[in-house]
Amino acid sequence: MRMTPTDQKNTGENLLNLTNQMGKILSALDESSLVAITDKHGVITHVNKKFCNVSGYSAEELVGKNHRILKSGFHPQEFYKDLWVTISGGHTWHGEIKNVSKHGQYFWVDTTIVPFLDSGSLSEQYVSISTELTDQKNTEENLLNANMQLRNAAKIQKENMELHMEFEKSKEKDTLKEEFSAMITHELKTPLVPIIGYCKMLKNKMLGELNGEQLESIDTIEKNAKRLESLISDIMDVRKLDLNKMKFTLEDLAIDNFFASLDSSYRQVLIEQGKEFITDAQIPSVVIHTDKIRLRQVFDNLISNAIKFIPDKNGKITVGCKNEGNKVVFYVADNGIGIPLESQQNLFQKFYQVDTSERRKTGGTGLGLAISKGIIEKLGGRIWVESDGKTGTIFYIEFDT
Amino acid sequence: MKILLIDDNQDITTMFAKYFQLKGHDIHVSNGGQNGLQMIENGLFDVILLDLAMPDFSGHDIIDYLHKNNKLDHKIIISLTASSVSDDDKAYLIERGVHSVLRKPIDPDELLNYLMRVKS
């Protein structure tokens, strides 16, 4: 069919009208939507003004770049895969996408992507039209975030409460344990007061004459009462060390004073038994920072152990100290029966006593060395033993200066 | 020496009463805190031996009362306790006018020697 001039005019007018209408639609679209056209690889070939405004890029910056320049990293890989499968299959995709602008700001868009087949070049084009969702989405996200933070806060609060309650409980338990210890000590020691008191009065013959056998019996009662007393004290010390409740008062200790006091406590008593007690403070002017009552307790323990094992004839105990590098080393040495090598490693364990079948009865509590080790370690020092198992024993105590 | 012993345990007060009597001293005893406090206020003693742990009215209560009412002057009070006393407790008592704190059990001979030294 041939076109008449009227037809041509009509067609021209129609085209004009159409172009007019298109122009109006496009400018309306510019107001409302982000428009982008990409090739089949996603390379941008056209963007409208709104797209530029929202994304922060100029059209020059965008054209020729892949659309993924706007990817925010928010969506998983599958999300984009699904999008590409849909549009490359010739179907329209519709969804919400979180993008990132040139300046790093996120913006949500409600997007429709329509694939077009260009019949001339047979290559596909994708046209996307999006409207901004940012405010709405931001509010949603903020709410979600706030909710999550609230939940976290509540969880932390709960955990804190639980921790606090546990802490309070353990504190309470410790206090109870301490109170129990104090009570036990009191209850166990109180009956010993009249026992030891009457033993003394009987031995002094304040309550009348006693024969030899009776005196011996009283001696045994008194000895065992005193042993019980040390056992109670030792058990309480072990408990304090275990519960980490032993209190230490650190002060300057002059070495010469310390050894002078040991000398006055032990030398005369041992001389009367025909034994020797020698002090050998090689560094008398040195002052160390420690708890002198507890250190003395350790020395009393080591010396009373030594007294039990030295021979009746020519028994000898030497206590002393020396400098070794930046350390002060104390020692208690005796010429007793020694400690076999296999026993040395267990020596500091509670209730461990070297097999005494062929040795004299020790009468100790079996706790002295465990307590000594505990005290020395709490004071920051080290204690160990050296013995060949035959001719004497040396205990060493070492502190940094 | 005129001694007052306050302790809730009767076996202990009887034993010490016998001991100090036989050693020629003037010993008075009380088995309760309230009564003991009255004896402290009404009598003149060279030395007062005071048990700390007593039910109802303890040695601590007696010390606190005497301290609050300024009645500890010129009194030698020696506390006796079978519990372990912390340095803080000891310092607290001595600050309030207690002469010293001794641990039970104590050998009566040693206690007497100590009292003689304190008094002189």
Side-chain angles (χ1 to χ4, degrees):
Chain A
M1 193 178 92
R2 266 194 72 228
M3 240 186 223
T4 64
T6 315
D7 288 337
Q8 282 178 343
K9 189 185 164 211
N10 282 346
T11 310
E13 272 176 14
N14 280 345
L15 267 174
L16 206 69
N17 274 341
L18 224 69
T19 316
N20 241 331
Q21 274 177 9
M22 278 292 288
K24 281 177 192 155
I25 291 168
L26 280 175
S27 56
L29 208 60
D30 271 349
E31 289 298 315
S32 73
S33 304
L34 297 76
V35 179
I37 303 171
T38 72
D39 67 11
K40 65 172 178 181
H41 304 294
V43 175
I44 297 168
T45 54
H46 169 83
V47 285
N48 75 343
K49 249 195 255 166
K50 179 93 177 173
F51 195 107
C52 294
N53 288 343
V54 174
S55 72
Y57 293 98
S58 66
E60 290 76 36
E61 283 175 305
L62 286 169
V63 172
K65 297 270 166 51
N66 195 293
H67 197 285
R68 73 171 79 92
I69 190 172
L70 298 171
K71 252 170 108 168
S72 66
F74 175 81
H75 305 283
Q77 227 25 62
E78 293 76 50
F79 176 86
Y80 294 103
K81 207 177 144 193
D82 171 66
L83 188 158
W84 276 103
V85 167
T86 306
I87 57 177
S88 59
H91 304 288
T92 300
W93 183 90
H94 180 227
E96 293 179 352
I97 306 178
K98 184 177 183 176
N99 285 330
V100 63
S101 77
K102 184 183 178 184
H103 310 294
Q105 273 156 343
Y106 295 106
F107 60 96
W108 278 91
V109 282
D110 180 84
T111 298
T112 304
I113 306 175
V114 186
F116 287 96
L117 190 66
D118 187 324
S119 52
S121 62
L122 275 178
S123 72
E124 280 172 47
Q125 282 193 325
Y126 302 116
V127 177
S128 78
I129 299 176
S130 312
T131 50
E132 267 189 294
L133 283 171
T134 308
D135 282 351
Q136 185 195 337
K137 272 283 166 187
N138 274 345
T139 310
E140 267 175 43
E141 254 179 51
N142 285 343
L143 270 173
L144 218 68
N145 270 340
N147 195 359
M148 225 155 74
Q149 276 171 15
L150 214 65
R151 262 193 242 171
N152 277 342
K155 206 174 136 206
I156 288 166
Q157 170 99 7
K158 196 173 156 229
E159 281 169 0
N160 271 346
M161 285 263 286
E162 280 168 6
L163 268 177
H164 184 73
M165 267 165 65
E166 240 166 73
F167 176 68
E168 285 296 322
K169 250 195 240 164
S170 76
K171 238 175 43 181
E172 224 170 79
K173 255 194 216 160
D174 275 2
T175 314
L176 276 179
K177 276 185 195 165
E178 269 185 282
E179 278 172 10
F180 184 70
S181 297
M183 202 187 76
I184 291 281
T185 309
H186 183 264
E187 293 309 307
L188 291 176
K189 284 195 171 180
T190 299
L192 291 172
V193 180
I195 296 175
I196 290 172
Y198 280 118
C199 283
K200 201 56 175 219
M201 285 164 76
L202 287 163
K203 271 173 76 175
N204 288 354
K205 297 174 183 168
M206 288 166 75
L207 303 173
E209 281 301 318
L210 295 167
N211 63 34
E213 205 180 342
Q214 288 167 330
L215 278 173
E216 239 175 67
S217 310
I218 298 298
D219 268 343
T220 307
I221 296 171
E222 190 187 33
K223 198 178 74 194
N224 280 282
K226 291 203 162 151
R227 185 166 169 199
L228 200 54
E229 186 195 343
S230 356
L231 191 58
I232 297 162
S233 303
D234 280 0
I235 287 172
M236 291 309 147
D237 275 351
V238 165
R239 233 178 119 78
K240 273 186 217 160
L241 283 165
D242 283 351
L243 291 174
N244 214 0
K245 291 286 175 191
M246 189 175 274
K247 292 198 175 90
F248 294 96
T249 311
L250 299 182
E251 51 196 331
D252 284 341
L253 167 76
I255 300 256
D256 52 353
N257 287 345
F258 183 72
F259 281 101
S261 140
L262 284 175
D263 189 76
S264 73
S265 298
Y266 291 105
R267 195 161 57 87
Q268 196 52 41
V269 181
L270 283 169
I271 283 174
E272 280 164 19
Q273 298 173 18
K275 292 161 189 164
E276 251 188 296
F277 185 82
I278 298 162
T279 54
D280 172 35
Q282 293 171 23
I283 41 168
S285 57
V286 168
V287 171
I288 62 166
H289 199 64
T290 192
D291 184 316
K292 50 183 159 193
I293 292 171
R294 290 298 180 185
L295 186 63
R296 175 61 193 250
Q297 182 185 348
V298 172
F299 268 81
D300 283 338
N301 175 248
L302 295 178
I303 293 166
S304 69
N305 280 347
I307 290 172
K308 284 176 210 154
F309 293 108
I310 51 174
D312 292 332
K313 260 190 186 171
N314 303 321
K316 184 170 130 184
I317 296 169
T318 311
V319 297
C321 75
K322 53 195 173 181
N323 252 337
E324 260 176 30
N326 57 347
K327 293 179 192 321
V328 170
V329 180
F330 292 90
Y331 66 91
V332 176
D334 67 60
N335 64 343
I337 50 180
I339 299 164
L341 208 61
E342 64 269 21
S343 297
Q344 289 177 19
Q345 56 185 11
N346 297 323
L347 206 58
F348 294 97
Q349 283 173 15
K350 288 166 207 162
F351 293 114
Y352 182 82
Q353 284 183 321
V354 178
D355 174 23
T356 50
S357 51
E358 281 184 40
R359 295 153 194 274
R360 69 185 77 188
K361 289 223 163 79
T362 63
T365 62
L367 291 170
L369 285 174
I371 293 167
S372 295
K373 185 171 194 276
I375 289 172
I376 294 301
E377 284 175 359
K378 295 265 192 250
L379 288 172
R382 202 163 72 85
I383 183 169
W384 72 97
V385 66
E386 281 176 16
S387 174
D388 63 1
K390 290 190 280 281
T391 54
T393 303
I394 309 177
F395 281 92
Y396 290 99
I397 295 166
E398 178 188 271
F399 291 109
D400 287 335
T401 49
Chain B
M1 192 163 30
K2 193 174 173 186
I3 305 164
L4 172 62
L5 169 64
I6 306 170
D7 195 315
D8 62 312
N9 185 311
Q10 284 197 27
D11 285 346
I12 291 175
T13 49
T14 307
M15 183 272 292
F16 276 124
K18 266 187 201 166
Y19 177 84
F20 283 116
Q21 231 164 22
L22 290 166
K23 288 280 180 185
H25 297 282
D26 184 13
I27 171 95
H28 300 252
V29 299
S30 165
N31 287 118
Q34 284 285 5
N35 178 247
L37 179 61
Q38 266 181 17
M39 289 173 79
I40 292 175
E41 289 195 284
N42 297 334
L44 271 176
F45 298 94
D46 293 312
V47 62
I48 296 155
L49 296 169
L50 177 63
D51 181 33
L52 287 176
M54 288 186 290
D56 301 331
F57 205 73
S58 73
H60 285 286
D61 295 331
I62 291 179
I63 299 299
D64 283 343
Y65 175 86
L66 293 172
H67 177 72
K68 223 197 283 173
N69 296 286
N70 292 317
K71 287 182 176 168
L72 258 169
D73 294 345
H74 309 299
K75 289 189 172 67
I76 298 175
I77 294 197
I78 294 170
S79 300
L80 292 173
T81 176
S83 308
S84 54
V85 194
S86 73
D87 288 348
D88 290 349
D89 286 347
K90 213 174 195 169
Y92 177 90
L93 288 167
I94 286 173
E95 214 174 88
R96 263 153 191 72
V98 170
H99 177 276
S100 46
V101 182
L102 299 184
R103 300 281 291 274
K104 290 195 286 191
I106 187 164
D107 185 315
D109 283 351
E110 279 172 32
L111 178 61
L112 180 57
N113 285 340
Y114 183 76
L115 297 188
M116 300 295 258
R117 276 212 307 280
V118 167
K119 211 211 133 203
S120 61

